[in-house]
Amino acid sequence: MKEQLAKIRSEALAAFEGAKTSAELDALRIQYLGKKGELTAVLKQMGKLSAEERPAMGQLANEVRSALEAALEETGKKMEEIALQERLKAETIDVTIPGAVQKIGHKHPMYIALDEIKDIFIGMGFTVLDGPEVELAALNFDRLNAEEGHPSRDWSDTFYFDEDSRVMLRSQTSPMQVRAMDSMELPIRIIAPGRVYRKDEVDATHSPMFHQVEGMVIDKGITMSDLKGTLNTVIEKLYGEGTVTRFRPHHFPFTEPSCEMDIQCHKCGGKGCPTCKGEGWIEVLGAGMIHPNVLRMAGIDPDVYSGWAFGMGLERMAMGRFKIADLRLIFENDVRFLEQF
């Protein structure tokens, strides 16, 4: 038996040292130290020994088992270290190699203009409001002094959801002014940006879906000069000091008196071109003093309070801000165009 234990020890140690993989090493563990392994088979013969021989053989068998287990552990650690080194070598990153360029998106030019407009008005103490695009005609027209029969309420101009013309895609963000008058305490200073919808034919300056930024101020002692001074300040902050503007008399049911504001065409400098349709000017907003009827419908006394309101086309503001010649470019999602900004 002593010779058998010595043979198992020498063969096992040699086999452990020659193992190439952890799987191979585990198979050798089972072969020599498993329940049906060679060392176990020898130990089962202990019963055939005399009482005097058993202690010495038992001690020798334990020494052999301990030696094999220690050799197994040491060989296993060496294999793990080798595997780790090979993995580190395979996964090594050369930090001197130029990295792949990551294409990062940026804001759309129209939303750059919108953010600038918001910043300007917030700096003046205005609150930004947002509201539904599906709106009641009562808020879009009736409360804005546009009674039945007004051209803007015609089916040829407005997208209605029902035959009774009560629910519609809002044609302006003015309903947010009505909502503000109904819910906010005086004085009021708000702007309301958002998408609006009208049955316009698509051309260089029109689209059936576009964006507006409307604003309103209601307080005591508000005059037309406040309106003109505020809007001129906004335009100069957007387009630069000295930007040429003009105010033209107009008519809106919501305001009285009313006006439209133009900026000199950025494309031709006022000489006339396709962008401005040969006029040298581009209309950017309509405005005026809030009609007394509108104030009364909101429960505001027009003898005590007055106010002004405006509505500007955001796309046209962006066109002037970034010298864009055709409004359709803003909606076409042509990467060649968008990457310029």
Side-chain angles (χ1 to χ4, degrees), residues 1-15 31-32 38-39 42 60 64 68:
M1 181 177 287
K2 185 176 181 180
E3 290 76 11
Q4 287 179 301
L5 289 173
K7 182 181 179 182
I8 290 173
R9 178 172 182 167
S10 61
E11 289 180 354
L13 291 176
Q31 177 183 342
Y32 289 104
E38 294 184 17
L39 181 59
V42 173
L60 180 60
V64 172
L68 297 187

Side-chain angles (χ1 to χ4, degrees), residues 146-302:
E147 299 177 349
E148 291 287 345
H150 191 277
S152 64
R153 302 185 68 145
D154 195 273
W155 277 77
S156 62
D157 289 335
T158 304
F159 296 99
Y160 289 103
F161 284 93
D162 59 340
E163 294 183 358
D164 295 331
S165 304
R166 292 181 300 178
V167 183
M168 57 180 287
L169 287 173
R170 66 182 180 185
S171 60
Q172 52 201 355
T173 58
S174 301
M176 290 309 301
Q177 298 179 27
V178 177
R179 293 174 183 273
M181 286 188 282
D182 288 346
S183 62
M184 297 177 70
E185 294 184 1
L186 297 169
I188 297 173
R189 289 174 176 79
I190 62 102
I191 61 169
R195 281 185 291 267
V196 298
Y197 306 85
R198 298 178 189 176
K199 290 184 179 179
D200 287 334
E201 296 297 327
V202 176
D203 61 25
T205 55
H206 293 84
S207 170
M209 186 285 295
F210 57 100
H211 296 74
Q212 273 192 340
V213 179
E214 297 212 2
M216 180 180 70
V217 170
I218 301 176
D219 203 346
K220 295 177 180 178
I222 297 298
T223 67
M224 192 75 173
S225 62
D226 299 317
L227 167 64
K228 294 181 68 175
T230 301
L231 294 180
N232 275 326
T233 298
V234 171
I235 293 300
E236 287 202 341
K237 284 184 176 293
L238 281 173
Y239 301 136
E241 189 174 350
T243 300
V244 181
T245 65
R246 72 177 183 182
F247 290 83
R248 294 179 288 105
H250 200 70
H251 169 72
F252 300 110
F254 180 60
T255 54
E256 180 61 36
S258 303
C259 65
E260 287 190 336
M261 183 181 187
D262 303 331
I263 59 172
Q264 195 172 76
C265 179
H266 56 272
K267 188 71 175 177
C268 65
K271 296 178 181 179
C273 68
T275 298
C276 61
K277 298 181 178 179
E279 295 181 2
W281 298 87
I282 296 176
E283 174 196 337
V284 291
L285 60 87
M289 300 301 294
I290 299 175
H291 199 292
N293 289 345
V294 175
L295 294 175
R296 289 191 188 98
M297 283 187 279
I300 299 172
D301 187 348

